[in-house]
Amino acid sequence: MEQPNPIIHQPVRLKIMSALKVLPPNDAIEFVRLKAIVAATEGNLGAHITTLEEAGYVAVEKDFVGKRPRTRIALTKQGRRAFEDYVAYLRDIIDAEPKAAQ
Amino acid sequence: MSLSPQEAASTLSDVERAARRSGQAYGYRRASPHLIVWGLIWVVGYATTDLRPDYANIIWPALTLLGVALSIYVGRCAGATDSGRYRSIWRIMALVLLAFVFIGATYAIMRHVSGPQQGAFVPLLVGTIYAGMGLWLGARFVVTGLAVIVLTLGGYFFLQEHFLLWQAVVGGGALILAGLWLRTV
């Protein structure tokens, strides 16, 4: 990867992906908790989640707990792979620095 | 657009920070129902022991089994994956068994342990474990553990006549409140 993945590279989306990556596979996080972790406004977070969902990186599940609506977000396999590639890309750049300096 | 090594390092640091916060929140979320369950067990256990101390040897094993069953249930409800669920059930059971062995062995070594001493020992152990876990898992566990220790010592030294009742209301209540507090992240 010569260029950073533009979908993940955006700061808020990067935080979203990082927060989801630590969850066990098939586990999801509630929208309100993700909002607190990412420290984004509701509208902003919703827009970025939609972008990630359209890219196939996250899955959004909506249901009800009693009468209260609940939105849960999980990383997809494709999203996990894309995020790992993105982190590997960052590490490659950092690791390449001493070699370039020599 | 390609990144400089400094930009890459800074971005990686953002990734790690967000992952750490999320991991901590996840740990709090998973622990919360367990704290509430064991808080309720303490409320019932200490209150009934205060009323009928002669039944303590029956009450506590029964309540411990109930607590384990409820812990397994809330763990399943928390939505762990099948493999994670299976591992977590065995871990809970192994942890309870270890705790029983340790507490039994300690009482056997110390001998002539009074009721209030027994009633204080387990909460002190639990508080220490929570505070120790918190060094890795997050400050809220440290606060919870220290609160349990301080409240237990306070009740033991200053309210010994009503110590079991104190543990029911304040000790159990503290665990329940801590469980609710962990849910707020």
Side-chain angles (χ1 to χ4, degrees):
Chain A
M1 196 199 303
E2 291 181 1
Q3 303 291 321
N5 180 330
I7 295 169
I8 298 179
H9 188 60
Q10 198 283 337
V12 176
R13 291 198 288 268
L14 180 64
K15 282 186 191 171
I16 296 170
M17 295 295 281
S18 307
L20 294 176
K21 175 70 170 62
V22 293
L23 301 181
N26 304 324
D27 213 337
I29 189 168
E30 285 182 35
F31 184 90
V32 284
R33 291 184 192 278
L34 189 58
K35 192 172 86 138
I37 292 166
V38 173
T41 63
E42 208 163 304
N44 193 17
L45 181 64
H48 287 300
I49 286 172
T50 302
T51 304
L52 290 169
E53 190 182 15
E54 284 168 358
Y57 290 172
V58 302
V60 178
E61 186 188 305
K62 294 184 179 186
D63 60 3
F64 283 86
V65 181
K67 287 183 178 175
R68 288 177 54 196
R70 178 177 67 169
T71 303
R72 303 175 83 213
I73 301 106
L75 205 57
T76 61
K77 277 185 186 170
Q78 189 186 339
R80 195 169 285 271
R81 205 164 38 241
F83 184 74
E84 283 165 0
D85 288 345
Y86 177 82
V87 172
Y89 163 79
L90 294 178
R91 291 197 194 286
D92 283 348
I93 293 173
I94 296 165
D95 292 345
E97 186 187 27
K99 289 174 199 160
Q102 280 168 7
Chain B
M1 172 186 60
S2 72
L3 299 178
S4 71
Q6 289 73 26
E7 285 170 327
S10 160
T11 307
L12 200 56
S13 150
D14 289 343
V15 165
E16 284 162 1
R17 200 174 308 119
R20 200 163 44 245
R21 282 199 72 190
S22 176
Q24 198 174 70
Y26 180 76
Y28 287 159
R29 177 163 63 98
R30 295 303 300 272
S32 156
H34 296 283
L35 283 178
I36 294 170
V37 162
W38 287 100
L40 290 170
I41 294 288
W42 281 20
V43 170
V44 176
Y46 281 109
T48 48
T49 308
D50 186 57
L51 290 172
R52 296 300 304 263
D54 46 329
Y55 282 103
N57 289 340
I58 299 167
I59 292 167
W60 282 106
L63 282 175
T64 305
L65 285 177
L66 177 66
V68 171
L70 287 172
S71 267
I72 290 169
Y73 176 74
V74 296
R76 295 178 81 147
C77 290
T81 57
D82 285 341
S83 60
R85 198 177 284 169
Y86 186 73
R87 279 197 305 274
S88 107
I89 290 171
W90 283 106
R91 277 182 186 152
I92 290 171
M93 289 170 74
L95 189 65
V96 170
L97 187 67
L98 273 173
F100 259 107
V101 169
F102 176 75
I103 292 163
T106 307
Y107 289 166
I109 289 170
M110 299 298 182
R111 289 174 185 267
H112 310 302
V113 181
S114 70
Q117 283 174 324
Q118 286 188 22
F121 177 70
V122 175
L124 288 176
L125 177 66
V126 169
T128 306
I129 291 170
Y130 280 135
M133 277 166 49
L135 299 177
W136 281 267
L137 300 178
R140 291 192 183 199
F141 285 111
V142 177
V143 173
T144 302
L146 291 179
V148 168
I149 291 170
V150 169
L151 291 170
T152 301
L153 289 175
Y156 184 81
F157 286 113
F158 300 111
L159 271 171
Q160 207 166 66
E161 273 184 34
H162 304 288
F163 177 63
L164 294 176
L165 213 51
W166 166 269
Q167 283 299 90
V169 178
V170 180
L175 279 190
I176 294 168
L177 284 178
L180 294 173
W181 184 38
L182 295 189
R183 288 171 68 149
T184 62
V185 179

